[in-house]
Amino acid sequence: MSNDIKNGADNAPASNFLRSIIEEDLATGKYAKRTDPNGHLLPQVITRFPPEPNGYLHIGHAKSICLNFGLAREYNGRCTMRFDDTNPTKEEQEYVDAIIDAVEWLGFDWKDEGGDHLYFASDYFDQMYMMAEYLISAGHAYVDSQSAEDMAKNRGNFSEPGKNSPFRDRPAAESLDLFRRMRLGEFKDGEHILRAKIDMASPNMNMRDPAIYRIRHAHHHRTGDKWCVYPMYDYAHPIEDAIEYVTHSFCTLEFQDHRPLYDWLLERLAEGGFFKHPLPKQTEFARLNLTYAITSKRKLLQLVEEKIVDGWDDPRMPTIVGIRRRGYTPESIQLFCDRVGVAKADSWIDMSTLEGALRDDLDAKAPRAVAVLRPLKLIIDNFPENLVDECTAPVHPHHPERGHRTFPITKELWIEEEDFMETPTKGYFRLFPGNKVRLRYGYVVECTGCDKDANGKVIAVRCNYFADSKSGTEGSNNYKVKGNIHWVSATHALEAEVRLYDRLFTDPTPDAGGKDFKTALNPNSKEIITAYLEHGMKAALPDDKFQFERHGYFVADRVDSKPGKPVFNRVTTLKDSWTK
């Protein structure tokens, strides 16, 4: 693993330079005394979270959510929730609903004393269109009638300046007429396009007369067929920020080269009287690159469509619906985002940092339970045939106020296969013929042998118990043993489906450098087993989380669990099993 992959558990959190920007603006009163059209005083810090509703959010979006909503909360500000729905061919209401659910699950909302700040770019289509007409009239935009191929050819490259379109000096009145006819649906997709008139020789490719409106005859999930011209993202984004009185527009680094266009557009519209100074300020930060995961929407969609995973909410997916179903908590995600901090340069964050935040959150919360994942029968030969004896264990070892749980011990038990070895290796202290161990929370037993099938496979282990050795009684102090093993009653245990999930990829950077990420798929990322759990687990409800002692953290699946018949997902192991 390369040295630029950081393990956040071993590194101090990155300094948050965005806080410094906000605090400087507060100190100078840059955004003080602004009011909305109703005369209400606006917060001095207004951020926004602006996803496009064209897919499910992933862990990278979680960082942006926690950052924007978190900073607004920290500085008594506001974070607006805005859907950038300017591309009707890729956007659906399903994604809108899923995104809203994800943000709310993470613990944030967009309501304050000023109202409900849930917005859509499509709310502003009329205003955006009017502003585009102004830009044309003011000589800042023109309708270009070149083919897409000619536009691309004349745009130039990083070493050669672009060439002016033959339509660049088209009279404003002619461009305005064409633009209005574009809106009326008189032209086909791609026949004309509206471009900002900036500088075709600019070293920044984004400033070479960028497209700001295109024709697209497509049904929109909110506006229906009202429009057949739609604004480009680079045009819509700054306008949306300004309309919503955003002060600090925090974007990931790929938008850094777009900032000059952001500023240029708002300045031109301010000149036209649409907006007042101070205008929103865009600042970029490093996106989240997490090892052993991919966050490309296209590649995540490929995993779903090719049925490599079981849908967007597959617990191995880095989508928020996936990690939620896996058993992650909102608090663990927020803790993770706090630990990785905010940086100005891209780097890799190790998956163990995310898993560590989860363990730290669940350790104090999750009640304990006993589970046998790889069952082997243990028969206590001298245990009375019909005796059902109750054993007691704490609900949580560090929180005695949470009480105790009880479960029965009987003549036949289930233990883990690895807890018996007919011929023990050096240092093995669990069950083998002649050795004594303690059944955790129960009695000391001595192994007497085992039963095998016709193929020589061990099918049952036999032992005798010491009736005066029960945990919690005075007699237990008379027995000193090195081994302590888990068990459940064979006649009382809950038989349950348990899904052992692991990382989806074996390569820490599965799609870096153009690699085919499918070659790095982990064949052992999902294993379904039948396990036996202490009988009280029958009452587990969907999303209930537990620490299965010795094995890790598990959650009752929120989709497939039924009353009295929970299905469990392994959230994470007790320790990082991927440490080299």
Side-chain angles (χ1 to χ4, degrees):
M1 189 178 295
S2 61
N3 292 329
D4 63 344
I5 296 179
K6 298 179 180 179
N7 185 326
D10 298 327
N11 290 273
S15 61
N16 192 335
F17 69 98
L18 301 180
R19 281 195 180 92
S20 299
I21 293 172
I22 290 175
E23 289 169 4
E24 181 179 348
D25 290 341
L26 289 173
T28 61
K30 180 177 180 180
Y31 295 103
K33 300 180 180 179
R34 298 185 310 155
T35 57
D36 65 19
N38 297 317
H40 298 137
L41 192 65
L42 291 163
Q44 293 189 59
V45 176
I46 300 180
T47 60
R48 84 287 174 274
F49 176 61
E52 182 183 357
N54 64 348
Y56 285 80
L57 300 185
H58 53 65
I59 186 65
H61 295 110
K63 177 182 177 181
S64 183
I65 293 168
C66 292
L67 178 69
N68 282 288
F69 282 94
L71 287 173
R73 179 185 292 174
E74 183 177 342
Y75 291 100
N76 298 314
R78 168 192 301 168
C79 183
T80 67
M81 178 74 196
R82 180 212 306 153
F83 289 94
D84 269 313
D85 56 342
T86 59
N87 189 355
T89 61
K90 294 184 177 181
E91 297 157 355
E92 298 178 17
Q93 186 63 39
E94 172 191 353
Y95 299 134
V96 172
D97 296 339
I99 290 168
I100 288 176
D101 183 62
V103 176
E104 290 181 331
W105 175 72
L106 280 169
F108 301 105
D109 66 60
W110 37 88
K111 302 177 181 68
D112 64 12
E113 294 178 356
D116 185 340
H117 304 288
L118 173 63
Y119 305 116
F120 292 80
S122 52
D123 293 337
Y124 314 131
F125 280 173
D126 288 293
Q127 291 162 276
M128 291 178 184
Y129 179 85
M130 179 175 60
M131 294 175 193
E133 284 202 350
Y134 161 75
L135 292 173
I136 295 171
S137 299
H140 299 310
Y142 63 97
V143 171
D144 193 350
S145 304
Q146 292 183 95
S147 67
E149 293 75 18
D150 286 342
M151 277 186 63
K153 182 176 63 176
N154 291 332
R155 191 165 181 246
N157 52 45
F158 290 109
S159 57
E160 295 181 7
K163 297 177 182 178
N164 286 348
S165 165
F167 303 99
R168 195 173 196 269
D169 295 322
R170 177 175 255 163
E174 183 181 341
S175 279
L176 192 59
D177 176 65
L178 284 169
F179 187 53
R180 289 171 176 170
R181 292 167 63 195
M182 286 165 60
R183 179 185 179 179
L184 292 173
E186 294 185 19
F187 305 112
K188 299 177 182 177
D189 289 10
E191 198 168 344
H192 301 288
I193 197 163
L194 183 65
R195 300 176 71 179
K197 187 184 290 186
I198 308 178
D199 181 7
M200 288 301 293
S202 172
N204 185 336
M205 299 287 286
N206 296 290
M207 299 296 282
R208 295 183 184 178
D209 290 9
I212 57 176
Y213 257 95
R214 80 285 208 195
I215 302 171
R216 184 150 292 175
H217 292 273
H219 184 83
H220 191 279
H221 72 103
R222 293 188 76 244
T223 61
D225 298 319
K226 177 181 178 181
W227 296 92
C228 60
V229 290
Y230 290 94
M232 306 296 286
Y233 176 83
D234 279 348
Y235 174 78
H237 174 221
I239 292 175
E240 293 157 14
D241 282 352
I243 290 174
E244 294 166 15
Y245 303 102
V246 168
T247 57
H248 301 87
S249 183
F250 298 136
C251 303
T252 45
L253 282 175
E254 63 263 35
F255 293 101
Q256 184 170 346
D257 290 341
H258 299 245
R259 193 197 319 153
L261 175 56
Y262 181 102
D263 293 338
W264 179 90
L265 180 62
L266 290 184
E267 286 292 347
R268 300 293 79 75
L269 293 174
E271 292 167 1
F274 293 98
F275 303 120
K276 296 179 181 179
H277 286 86
L279 298 167
K281 176 68 175 176
Q282 177 177 306
T283 306
E284 302 81 27
F285 64 93
R287 66 182 300 164
L288 176 63
N289 296 307
L290 189 66
T291 61
Y292 299 100
I294 57 173
T295 53
S296 160
K297 285 184 180 179
R298 177 180 61 83
K299 294 172 184 176
L300 292 174
L301 179 62
Q302 187 178 347
L303 289 173
V304 173
E305 290 184 336
E306 295 182 11
K307 300 189 184 303
I308 296 170
V309 295
D310 302 323
W312 288 102
D313 68 343
D314 187 303
R316 294 166 292 178
M317 288 279 274
T319 53
I320 294 179
V321 289
I323 60 179
R324 180 181 183 183
R325 188 173 178 186
R326 176 75 171 259
Y328 277 78
T329 62
E331 295 82 4
S332 66
I333 302 301
Q334 292 185 37
L335 178 60
F336 167 68
C337 292
D338 285 343
R339 287 180 175 176
V340 301
V342 181
K344 296 183 180 181
D346 282 332
S347 64
W348 287 89
I349 304 299
D350 198 274
M351 176 69 78
S352 62
T353 308
L354 176 60
E355 294 168 340
L358 176 65
R359 293 187 189 100
D360 288 346
D361 182 55
L362 289 181
D363 180 58
K365 296 178 178 178
R368 277 29 176 184
V370 175
V372 174
L373 304 186
R374 315 284 183 183
L376 175 63
K377 184 67 68 69
L378 177 68
I379 302 170
I380 309 175
D381 288 316
N382 64 336
F383 199 89
E385 191 72 36
N386 297 316
L387 177 63
V388 178
D389 193 9
E390 291 291 334
C391 294
T392 301
V395 171
H396 196 294
H398 306 307
H399 295 281
E401 73 279 3
R402 296 177 66 175
H404 289 79
R405 64 193 204 272
T406 59
F407 41 87
I409 186 168
T410 51
K411 186 179 184 68
E412 293 191 359
L413 310 174
W414 292 114
I415 63 170
E416 294 288 347
E417 278 184 340
E418 64 182 20
D419 287 345
F420 172 75
M421 192 175 291
E422 189 172 12
T423 305
T425 57
K426 184 178 180 181
Y428 187 82
F429 299 117
R430 284 168 269 179
L431 284 170
F432 57 86
N435 193 45
K436 297 185 182 70
V437 301
R438 177 171 293 281
L439 300 177
R440 187 166 171 81
Y441 309 120
Y443 295 93
V444 172
V445 298
E446 181 176 8
C447 181
T448 58
C450 62
D451 299 339
K452 299 180 181 180
D453 64 14
N455 297 316
K457 180 183 177 181
V458 175
I459 56 174
V461 178
R462 293 191 174 269
C463 67
N464 289 317
Y465 87 117
F466 298 90
D468 61 345
S469 66
K470 188 176 182 181
S471 294
T473 66
E474 292 185 7
S476 66
N477 296 326
N478 298 325
Y479 295 84
K480 306 297 180 185
V481 295
K482 293 183 178 180
N484 193 319
I485 66 171
H486 293 76
W487 56 273
V488 292
S489 166
T491 52
H492 294 81
L494 171 69
E495 183 180 295
E497 178 179 315
V498 173
R499 299 160 182 174
L500 302 177
Y501 289 108
D502 205 340
R503 299 179 186 181
L504 187 57
F505 298 99
T506 57
D507 186 334
T509 55
D511 61 345
K515 290 184 289 188
D516 179 0
F517 65 93
K518 291 199 292 183
T519 64
L521 285 166
N522 179 6
N524 301 313
S525 64
K526 177 184 178 181
E527 180 185 5
I528 300 177
I529 61 173
T530 298
Y532 293 94
L533 320 179
E534 62 179 77
H535 73 291
M537 298 303 294
K538 187 176 183 179
L541 300 175
D543 279 333
D544 281 353
K545 298 168 184 68
F546 303 87
Q547 184 193 106
F548 287 177
E549 298 182 22
R550 173 179 175 178
H551 296 300
Y553 294 97
F554 290 74
V555 62
D557 188 85
R558 63 195 318 266
V559 176
D560 295 330
S561 292
K562 301 294 186 293
K565 194 174 182 181
V567 173
F568 289 91
N569 302 330
R570 182 170 66 190
V571 191
T572 188
T573 52
L574 291 176
K575 295 181 179 180
D576 182 9
S577 59
W578 288 71
T579 302
K580 291 184 173 60

